Amino acid sequence: MKVLLVNGSPKHKGCTYTALRIVADELEKNGIDTEIFQVGMLPIRGCIGCGMCAKNGNGLCQFDDDVVNKAILSCRTADAIIIGSPVHYASASGAITSFLDRLFYAGGSNLAYKPGAVVASCRRGGASATLDQISKYFGITNMPIVCSNYWNMVHGNTPEEVLKDEEGVQTMRILGRNMAWILKSLNAAKEAGIEPPEREAKIKTNYIR
């Protein structure tokens, strides 16, 4: 089994990476493979809702920037995903927001019924708003959301300060263990012949009459 961890920070090995690395280490201790996928260092265009991802038949975004489509392909083989983001202006980073809009619009079907988790890194405030924002992608994609013994956040202005956030570090460790437990439970269910629920065609209701 494998978990894809997405680092939405422009700092390759900053605070968000530090938190994700703690989670990844715990997953690996539990026999789960991990991949940390870097997003935030490159400019990423937003989704324009052109619908070409559905029309072109390959499940990929029309705008091939070597980031989103690469992640879509990784999601096809990953068993779970963890999205990490720094807090920018009390919400998720612009890079990760643009990335997730296109990832889920074009490739959300690759993540249905796979566990997802969010990790937020902040100096002081805005972490819970970031967690809420990113969790909504999971909430419309039939994805179980994995939590810890506290909201999945760390505090600190540097990686060294993050490691001094003892409660945050514990939260990340437990998140890793919880994700491993969920994955093993789902794998056991699959081996027992229990399949995910049958998907229904989406019903869309407009409220203007």
Side-chain angles (χ1 to χ4, degrees), residues 19-131:
L20 290 174
R21 187 67 259 171
I22 296 169
V23 180
D25 287 345
E26 203 64 37
L27 286 165
E28 290 168 6
K29 288 178 185 176
N30 282 270
I32 309 294
D33 292 334
T34 65
E35 175 190 352
I36 297 183
F37 187 92
Q38 180 66 40
V39 169
M41 296 175 68
L42 297 172
I44 300 175
R45 67 182 301 161
C47 178
I48 63 171
C50 65
M52 290 303 297
C53 51
K55 295 175 184 177
N56 61 25
N58 60 9
L60 299 175
C61 181
Q62 177 74 4
F63 302 111
D64 191 359
D65 53 19
D66 199 36
V67 178
V68 175
N69 283 340
K70 185 177 179 181
I72 289 174
L73 294 175
S74 293
C75 287
R76 291 177 181 177
T77 57
D79 297 287
I81 190 169
I82 298 175
I83 309 295
S85 176
V87 172
H88 291 173
Y89 290 96
S91 60
S93 73
I96 199 66
T97 300
S98 294
F99 170 84
L100 291 174
D101 282 354
R102 289 170 56 205
L103 177 74
F104 276 83
Y105 195 75
S109 61
N110 299 311
L111 290 167
Y113 304 109
K114 296 179 180 180
V118 187
V119 168
S121 167
C122 69
R123 183 189 67 83
R124 187 171 179 86
S128 53
T130 298
L131 295 174

